[in-house]
Amino acid sequence: MKIKAAVTYESGAPYKIEEVELDAPKIGEILVRIVASGICHTDEAVQHQFIPTPLPAVLGHEGAGIVEAVGLGVTDFKVGDRVGISFGYCNCCTNCRKARPFICKNFNKINFGGIQPDNTTRLHTLDGRDLSTFFGQSSFATYAVVNQNHAFKVEHDDVDLALVAPMGCGIQTGAGAVLNRLRPEFGSSIAVFGCGTVGMSAIMAAKIAGCAQIIAVGGNPKSLELAKELGATHTVNRKEVDNLVAAVKAVSLSGDGVNYSIDTTGVGACVRQSLGFLDFDGTCVVVGATGDITFNVQNELMGDGKSLLGVIEGDSIPKEFLPKLLDYYKRGMFPFDKLIRYYSFDQINEAQAESDAGKCIKAVLRME
């Protein structure tokens, strides 16, 4: 079938919306009419080939929509179901079989390699050239074919699917890093570096977890104010202090640092600072795509008994975790709607530019 999609042809080029061909769903797959898709920093990382997904490609990996057709063997969904879509995984490696799809051994191949789990793509240019699939969905499009394992049912009919869309990556990454991986002790302290979608989601999750102190660290005064509204007990503006590590430690409950920290920036120097925020026996989680970093292991890690962890997709099983987050939202405990600004599909380049400029925290495209 012919659909509209935002195609990335070469590194750094703007998105180009055009007609492309989408194959019918195969065994275990569903055809989803995309209602909305979030724009994530990971899309931009691929667009500029910091993460080298084969081009040309149709990006987008935070989709939500309505099931319009199902392939053979589909048992989880029926036509008309409202769904959100998350990351892809093989469902057959040892980690997937242990219910740990977020560390699927084929995660990078499926999500960044340009293919579906069966090693093929469903997308093609009108002249027959293959287009890479992204995260098993390519939701910068009006329709997507996805494996039923990668989608979750939205049971709340009164929840806008455009609100659901960004849950599939950034929101579950931040919230899951806290609730699924760190599982902070009640009354503990945490510092979150970066007040974007992932950081704000971590802050809201830390409040749910009962952290006594939640320190938001960032450089945008408006974002820091919103962080307070969402649950931060303290804020530190990195642009207003000479020594950021010392400033965070100074406001920490112990005076020596926090129990937990999360770096969402993807900047090596910031990861090192996030590690420095910790008290003895503290744990720092890194969730962003980060390049090289150099630090003294004895003085900055091992000597204080600290831990530095990489967490993928918030250690989330989306079919289970994301409905729980929606329940928290419905109960007023996870107000992630305050992060979102909506754009029409044809504003995709403008939406990304405004996100990069800090004019919005989470840009979400409405396809219809």
Side-chain angles (χ1 to χ4, degrees):
M1 64 183 291
K2 288 182 174 59
I3 67 169
K4 285 188 177 181
V7 183
T8 300
Y9 279 101
E10 58 186 22
S11 179
Y15 296 110
K16 183 179 179 182
I17 297 178
E18 59 184 46
E19 269 198 341
V20 302
E21 191 73 30
L22 178 68
D23 295 339
K26 295 184 179 181
I27 295 174
E29 296 178 340
I30 57 177
L31 173 68
V32 179
R33 175 169 56 84
I34 300 296
V35 172
S37 181
I39 294 179
C40 178
H41 177 69
T42 306
D43 296 306
E44 190 172 8
V46 172
Q47 182 188 27
H48 292 274
Q49 293 290 279
F50 179 74
I51 300 175
T53 293
L55 300 179
V58 177
L59 303 181
H61 63 288
E62 295 180 341
I66 299 171
V67 177
E68 295 231 332
V70 299
L72 293 174
V74 172
T75 57
D76 292 356
F77 303 99
K78 65 182 185 302
V79 173
D81 281 346
R82 290 155 45 88
V83 298
I85 313 169
S86 191
F87 60 88
Y89 53 94
C90 72
N91 208 37
C92 61
C93 71
T94 54
N95 289 339
C96 284
R97 288 173 178 171
K98 293 176 183 177
R100 294 170 66 78
F102 43 86
I103 50 170
C104 168
K105 291 189 175 183
N106 294 299
F107 186 96
N108 289 329
K109 178 182 178 182
I110 294 169
N111 292 287
F112 299 108
I115 57 171
Q116 294 279 15
D118 68 352
N119 296 314
T120 65
T121 179
R122 304 287 174 273
L123 290 160
H124 320 277
T125 61
L126 294 185
D127 61 4
R129 185 180 180 186
D130 286 347
L131 292 166
S132 286
T133 302
F134 191 52
F135 267 69
Q137 59 177 281
S138 293
S139 57
F140 287 166
T142 51
Y143 288 83
V145 169
V146 301
N147 190 288
Q148 65 175 336
N149 294 327
H150 311 158
F152 63 97
K153 195 175 294 185
V154 179
E155 301 287 1
H156 301 286
D157 290 337
D158 58 340
V159 174
D160 187 352
L161 286 174
L163 180 66
V164 173
M167 297 182 72
C169 184
I171 287 170
Q172 82 174 349
T173 294
V178 175
L179 298 174
N180 296 331
R181 187 56 178 269
L182 287 178
R183 300 184 180 184
E185 182 180 353
F186 182 81
S188 59
S189 57
I190 187 170
V192 179
F193 200 163
C195 293
T197 303
V198 178
M200 295 295 199
S201 299
I203 287 168
M204 289 184 283
K207 183 178 180 180
I208 291 171
C211 289
Q213 184 180 48
I214 305 168
I215 305 173
V217 183
N220 185 323
K222 290 184 178 180
S223 294
L224 289 172
E225 280 301 313
L226 180 58
K228 284 184 179 179
E229 184 179 337
L230 297 177
T233 60
H234 298 75
T235 62
V236 176
N237 190 323
R238 61 179 177 79
K239 296 179 179 179
E240 296 178 354
V241 297
D242 295 326
N243 186 324
L244 183 58
V245 170
V248 171
K249 285 190 171 185
V251 299
S252 67
L253 291 177
S254 68
D256 295 318
V258 294
N259 303 121
Y260 309 97
S261 65
I262 297 180
D263 185 87
T264 72
T265 68
V267 178
C270 298
V271 171
R272 187 177 177 184
Q273 289 172 315
S274 296
L275 185 62
F277 298 160
L278 296 175
D279 201 345
F280 278 73
D281 194 31
T283 300
C284 174
V285 161
V286 179
V287 297
T290 308
D292 292 342
I293 175 174
T294 300
F295 61 90
N296 187 292
V297 173
Q298 169 61 28
N299 293 336
E300 299 177 64
L301 182 70
M302 193 276 287
D304 290 343
K306 298 177 181 179
S307 299
L308 180 63
L309 306 175
V311 173
I312 301 170
E313 294 290 346
D315 275 16
S316 170
I317 300 174
K319 284 181 184 290
E320 296 182 4
F321 185 57
L322 295 181
K324 290 179 182 178
L325 287 185
L326 269 180
D327 285 340
Y328 280 132
Y329 166 74
K330 292 284 289 183
R331 292 157 60 187
M333 300 170 66
F334 193 76
F336 69 99
D337 56 314
K338 295 181 179 180
L339 308 178
I340 297 173
R341 178 180 294 180
Y342 297 106
Y343 299 82
S344 62
F345 187 23
D346 61 5
Q347 292 178 301
I348 183 170
N349 291 303
E350 176 186 343
Q352 180 169 287
E354 293 198 354
S355 181
D356 290 343
K359 294 182 179 179
C360 71
I361 293 176
K362 187 63 181 181
V364 173
L365 303 173
R366 289 188 183 272
M367 306 307 180
E368 51 186 39

